[in-house]
Amino acid sequence: MNPLHQAIIKRDQARVAELLAQGADTGVLSRNGRNAFEVAEFTENLPAMVLLAGPDILHTAADNLWCAAIRRGDYGLADIPPARLNDALCDALLLVDSQLWSALPETYRQPANLQTRCLKQPALVKLLPHDLIFQPEFYQPLLTELKLSHWPRPWPAALVATAIELDVNHHYYLQDGDYTPAIAQRLIASDGSLLYCIPEALRDADLCRLAMTRGYDLGAVPAAAWSDELVPLALASLARAGGGVVGRPGGWQASLSADSLARVPEPLRSYEICLNAVTSNYQALAWVPQQYRDVAMCVAALEGRELIGMQIIEILEQVPEAIRTTVEQQANFTHHIQPGEYEDWDLE
């Protein structure tokens, strides 16, 4: 390897200066076709670039070169020419070392400017001072774009409440400790199916009753909040969503989960409701009344699924023996054979 290139790669700036003083040829190319300056640029060796091209290079050096120089201690923040210290470079420097915050230009640290920078570079939010980012006037304009996952924990209750009020989909980022009765009410008022997301301690009778007027996930109702009045509310919600109509156009089909179907008294489990539930989740077949377990119902439990052997056994055990062979022949499903699995199951 060329001695000058080797010194640049090793970041031995004294040796680089010595070789240059001795008249080393900077135009010699490396095996990758790079001259000495390009080797220095490729290895992010800004001091060597200065030795090769002069101090003016500091005014035009790319952001990554300055970030590498600051991270390695080759230069300090004060060495960056003021005109070069633009917003984009300040962003990059903060991502390298958040301790640089207080030394960055005051114009950059203005809240209005930082809001703009955070929208461009969301990772900055977790690096800024908490007493700034958790001010309502700072976070409220940003929450429509920057989801809760962008904000450092612990989250103030006001931040969470504002986020949920703006978009209930923020619930995906919540942990149990983030929920309050008010947030639970807001979620359920939007979509009763979100009951399963809410910590069980907050799922009281009133909340569950409200949820069943807007959804049909009876399986998410805790035993302590259960009452028989929830069933007709849930079934009415299911009917409004189209869950009582087989083959409803539009692709999506409302259905009860297996747990929800289990909580519906058997006389209220209509054929249509059971068929929709089984089509959605084969485990619902266990809660289908025997008189409804015909070929169509049982085929629906298998149809279009990708199943392993134990799942197929689980389904077929729920199929009446008299139609079991017919169901296997008519259902179109994929059997993913597992290592050591036998295909000749004995279901007797």
Side-chain angles (χ1 to χ4, degrees):
M1 180 182 291
N2 179 279
L4 181 58
H5 295 177
Q6 188 174 37
I8 293 170
I9 292 170
K10 289 185 174 181
R11 313 191 67 77
D12 186 348
Q13 317 305 355
R15 179 62 175 156
V16 172
E18 179 184 354
L19 290 170
L20 290 176
Q22 293 173 0
D25 185 354
T26 61
V28 174
L29 299 182
S30 68
R31 271 187 272 179
N32 293 320
R34 297 186 179 96
N35 61 31
F37 183 85
E38 291 167 339
V39 169
E41 187 175 33
F42 180 75
T43 58
E44 297 184 329
N45 189 341
L46 187 55
M49 293 172 64
V50 171
L51 291 172
L52 289 161
D56 285 348
I57 198 68
L58 298 178
H59 294 271
T60 57
D63 290 357
N64 67 297
L65 296 171
W66 271 116
C67 288
I70 296 294
R71 184 176 65 251
R72 293 181 176 123
D74 295 333
Y75 292 104
L77 199 61
D79 296 313
I80 302 177
R84 181 66 190 81
L85 198 57
N86 56 27
D87 285 348
L89 179 53
C90 289
D91 292 348
L93 290 171
L94 264 184
L95 292 171
V96 167
D97 182 3
S98 62
Q99 299 301 314
L100 295 173
W101 157 257
S102 60
L104 293 175
E106 186 176 352
T107 53
Y108 173 80
R109 292 185 286 119
Q110 293 301 307
N113 184 58
L114 289 172
Q115 288 173 320
T116 301
R117 303 314 305 168
C118 287
L119 290 173
K120 291 180 177 292
Q121 183 63 270
L124 291 174
V125 177
K126 292 184 178 180
L127 304 176
L128 299 177
H130 288 195
D131 60 357
L132 166 68
I133 63 171
F134 288 141
Q135 292 296 321
E137 58 270 23
F138 186 87
Y139 65 69
Q140 284 176 353
L142 299 182
L143 280 173
T144 54
E145 296 291 333
L146 300 183
K147 304 306 180 186
L148 278 172
S149 57
H150 290 108
W151 301 81
R153 283 186 173 275
W155 297 333
L159 171 73
V160 178
T162 301
I164 294 295
E165 191 61 36
L166 289 170
D167 182 358
V168 294
N169 287 324
H170 278 107
H171 80 85
Y172 288 115
Y173 310 109
L174 300 187
Q175 298 174 2
D176 282 2
D178 298 319
Y179 283 91
T180 64
I183 287 175
Q185 287 279 338
R186 175 69 180 88
L187 290 182
I188 296 306
S190 170
D191 184 351
S193 68
L194 296 179
L195 184 62
Y196 77 95
C197 301
I198 296 168
E200 191 167 313
L202 295 178
R203 298 184 213 170
D204 59 19
D206 289 339
L207 188 69
C208 291
R209 191 179 303 108
L210 176 64
M212 292 308 104
T213 66
R214 290 162 169 76
Y216 38 86
D217 191 4
L218 287 165
V221 178
W226 179 261
S227 66
D228 291 341
E229 70 171 306
L230 298 179
V231 174
L233 293 175
L235 294 181
S237 294
L238 181 68
R240 287 194 298 273
V245 181
V246 178
R248 187 169 66 91
W252 175 80
Q253 179 65 62
S255 63
L256 293 177
S257 67
D259 288 343
S260 292
L261 185 61
R263 301 185 83 166
V264 176
E266 190 165 316
L268 298 180
R269 299 178 202 170
S270 69
Y271 185 92
E272 291 76 13
I273 286 174
C274 290
L275 182 58
N276 288 343
V278 167
T279 302
S280 175
N281 183 348
Y282 71 83
Q283 292 175 324
L285 185 59
W287 303 104
V288 174
Q290 289 293 331
Q291 67 268 26
Y292 294 155
R293 297 191 193 186
D294 58 14
V295 172
M297 182 73 69
C298 297
V299 165
L302 288 162
E303 189 68 23
R305 303 193 193 282
E306 297 186 7
L307 303 164
I308 64 174
M310 293 305 297
Q311 292 172 317
I312 298 171
I313 291 174
E314 181 183 351
I315 295 171
L316 292 179
E317 284 178 339
Q318 304 298 330
V319 177
E321 185 179 354
I323 63 171
R324 191 173 292 159
T325 300
T326 303
V327 168
E328 283 191 84
Q329 291 172 344
Q330 291 191 12
N332 180 24
F333 62 94
T334 302
H335 175 196
H336 290 293
I337 300 176
Q338 304 298 295
E341 179 183 322
Y342 293 97
E343 296 187 70
D344 53 337
W345 310 307
D346 182 4
L347 299 178
E348 300 304 324

